[in-house]
Amino acid sequence: MSTQETVGLLSTVTETLAEIGFDEAELAEATADWKLRAELGLSSVETTELQLALKQRFGVTVDLWDQDDYTLGRLAELIAEQRSGS
């Protein structure tokens, strides 16, 4: 995945998080290594909302319920992988 694609997907992921209610000022400071649960405090309801939003926006299914606390960067990578068919 190119750096430009990563930046674009990270931006879209943070926009999606803002749409489901996360603080835009906090998201503006977020980096690719921020974890969804540890740094952003993603709740179970927000996890479900994010999964649905990713499906609607990107047409991908990312299992956010597994044991991994994904970083924003890893989430962007997973989206890119599924969109490219990798």
Side-chain angles (χ1 to χ4, degrees):
M1 176 168 59
S2 72
T3 303
Q4 185 176 9
E5 184 179 13
T6 302
V7 170
L9 283 173
L10 279 172
S11 175
T12 305
V13 167
T14 56
E15 287 172 15
T16 304
L17 287 164
E19 290 170 6
I20 64 172
F22 280 85
D23 180 24
E24 291 184 41
E26 181 180 10
L27 291 171
E29 297 176 13
T31 63
D33 62 340
W34 277 31
K35 293 186 176 188
L36 295 174
R37 294 183 194 103
E39 275 84 20
L40 292 173
L42 197 72
S43 72
S44 59
V45 171
E46 292 162 336
T47 298
T48 301
E49 289 176 348
L50 180 57
Q51 270 191 206
L52 293 171
L54 294 175
K55 178 73 171 173
Q56 290 174 340
R57 180 168 265 178
F58 298 108
V60 301
T61 302
V62 179
D63 182 8
L64 298 176
W65 292 100
D66 63 14
Q67 297 299 313
D68 290 329
D69 186 3
Y70 290 115
T71 63
L72 292 172
R74 180 63 184 139
L75 185 55
E77 289 171 0
L78 290 169
I79 293 166
E81 288 169 9
Q82 284 194 33
R83 290 176 74 190
S84 71
S86 299

